[in-house]
Amino acid sequence: MGLLSNSNPLPSKPSEFELPENITRLKNALRACTLCPRNCRVDRTIGQRGACGIAAEARVASTMPHFGEESVLVGRGGSGTIFFAGCNLHCAFCQNYDISQTDSGRPCSPRQIAELALSLAQDGCENINFVTPTHVAHAVAEAIVLARHLGLTLPTVYNCGGYESLDTLRSLEGLIDIYMPDFKYAADASGRTYSEVDDYPTVAAAALAEMFRQTGPLQIDQNGLARRGLLVRHLVLPHNLADSQKVIDLIAQHAPGCTVNIMAQYRPAFRAHEFPGLLEYPSRRDIQDLRQYADTLNLVVL
Ligand code: SF4
C-alpha cells in the first residue's frame, strides 16, 4: 500500500522530463479538441471551452480517501479519489452535479496532480481513483507518468461516464490499471434526453470493448482488493428509464464475464425535477431482478 520511493525526484524543469509519445498525442488533441467523442474542436490551449466547460488545465475539486466506493476499491485505507470539475456529459440526474457541472475547484498542473496522488498514497489509500477524468485525460495520463516516476505503485482507476473516445483510450493503454466506466443507457433517445449526447449506447459499447481488451476481467488480490481489470457500473433509474436489461445485454456482449455493479442509490438530483419520471426511486424488486438477470449472463455481480 502506498509504496513510494524518493529515489527518483522529478526534474525541476518539466522540459528535462521527456514525455512518452502517447501523452504528446493527447495534448495535441486539445488544439482542436477531440479528446472525447463530442469532438467540439475548440482550441483549449488558448482558453476556449467546449461542452465539458474546462480549458486545457485540469481543475481539481477535491481529493480524499473515499470509503463509499465499491469494497474492492476501499480496503482499509480507502480509495484515493481525485475529483475533477467539469464533465463531457450533462446528465439531468447527476448525483455529483455540484462538481461535474461547474468549473469549481482549483487549477492543477499534471505535476500537482501527481503530487496529490503521491500524498494519497502516503496517507495509505489503496489506489488512485481519478473521478470524471475523460475531458482531462491528457493531464491524468501525464500525472500518472510523473507519479510512477516518483515511485507510485498503487493501481490507477479511471472512473468515467463511459462516453469515451477510442483514440484517447488507446493513448491511455498501460497507464490505467482499473477501468470503471458507467454504462448508463441502452437507447439513443435516453442518452439524448438525459445526458445530451446522440449516440451514447454505441459509443459506450465500443469504449467498453477497448477497456476490456486492455485490462481484461477484474483481478482481486488475496486481500480482496482490485488490482487490474474492468468494473462496469450501472445506475438503475426509476421506471426503467435506462432500459436496464438491455444495458446488461450490451455489457455481456462487449465485455463477457466482466464485473458489474448494479447500483441502487439513485436519488432525484440536479435537473431531475424537469422530468417527472426522474422524481421517483427505482424499486428494490427491479434492482434484485436485474442482478439476477446479470448473473444468468455470467457477469460477476458485486
Ligand atoms: S473533452 Fe471537452 S472540449 Fe474536448 S471534445 Fe470533449 S467535451 Fe468537447
Side-chain angles (χ1 to χ4, degrees):
M1 46 157 149
L3 296 181
L4 295 176
S5 86
N6 288 324
S7 57
N8 283 327
L10 281 181
S12 51
K13 291 185 198 157
S15 58
E16 291 169 19
F17 188 82
E18 198 173 327
L19 287 172
E21 198 259 329
N22 55 332
I23 310 285
T24 309
R25 263 202 318 272
L26 290 169
K27 288 168 111 171
N28 285 342
L30 298 176
R31 296 184 187 283
C33 193
T34 52
L35 210 56
C36 91
R38 281 188 181 265
N39 295 324
C40 299
R41 300 195 184 278
V42 294
D43 187 350
R44 294 172 65 190
T45 67
I46 58 166
Q48 293 178 347
R49 299 177 186 210
C52 59
I54 301 293
E57 191 158 40
R59 297 186 73 90
V60 173
S62 70
T63 66
M64 62 174 174
H66 193 347
F67 292 87
E69 299 285 59
E70 286 79 350
S71 61
V72 293
L73 296 178
V74 169
R76 283 164 52 173
S79 181
T81 43
I82 300 179
F83 284 86
F84 293 103
C87 185
N88 68 334
L89 293 173
H90 301 305
C91 304
F93 50 87
C94 182
Q95 314 279 292
N96 194 24
Y97 65 98
D98 51 333
I99 295 174
S100 72
Q101 301 303 311
T102 67
D103 62 358
S104 59
R106 65 185 172 99
C108 279
S109 66
R111 188 188 177 106
Q112 288 169 315
I113 297 168
E115 283 163 1
L116 293 172
L118 293 165
S119 166
L120 288 164
Q122 262 168 340
D123 288 347
C125 289
E126 311 286 0
N127 44 63
I128 302 300
N129 182 346
F130 298 98
V131 185
T132 325
T134 304
H135 59 299
V136 289
H138 59 296
V140 168
E142 187 173 345
I144 292 170
V145 170
L146 295 171
R148 283 188 179 166
H149 180 75
L150 282 175
L152 182 78
T153 59
L154 293 179
T156 54
V157 184
Y158 197 80
N159 181 345
C160 65
Y163 194 67
E164 315 298 314
S165 143
L166 290 180
D167 281 346
T168 296
L169 289 176
R170 287 180 190 126
S171 292
L172 293 171
E173 184 161 9
L175 296 175
I176 303 301
D177 297 301
I178 298 165
Y179 281 107
M180 188 162 65
D182 294 332
F183 204 122
K184 293 174 185 288
Y185 322 102
D188 287 347
S190 310
R192 208 170 288 131
T193 304
Y194 302 119
S195 293
E196 301 177 5
V197 288
D198 286 333
D199 49 2
Y200 183 88
T202 314
V203 167
L208 197 65
E210 172 59 20
M211 295 174 194
F212 199 50
R213 182 195 71 74
Q214 287 184 24
T215 62
L218 198 66
Q219 296 170 25
I220 309 289
D221 70 12
Q222 68 280 10
N223 298 317
L225 286 167
R227 303 298 304 179
R228 181 175 169 82
L230 176 67
L231 196 177
V232 188
R233 286 171 158 178
H234 174 63
L235 179 66
V236 181
L237 298 180
H239 302 293
N240 196 27
L241 291 174
D243 225 338
S244 292
Q245 211 173 79
K246 286 193 183 146
V247 168
I248 298 301
D249 288 339
L250 284 169
I251 295 171
Q253 183 186 341
H254 292 274
C258 78
T259 300
V260 290
N261 180 8
I262 293 171
M263 299 195 296
Q265 58 260 53
Y266 175 83
R267 62 185 167 82
F270 192 36
R271 295 189 293 106
H273 59 90
E274 295 174 16
F275 304 90
L278 286 178
L279 283 177
E280 295 171 39
Y281 292 80
S283 77
R284 237 184 239 183
R285 184 59 197 262
D286 285 351
I287 290 157
Q288 271 169 4
D289 288 351
L290 194 64
R291 287 181 175 148
Q292 277 173 5
Y293 181 68
D295 194 48
T296 66
L297 296 187
N298 294 323
L299 295 173
V300 179
V301 183
L302 281 188

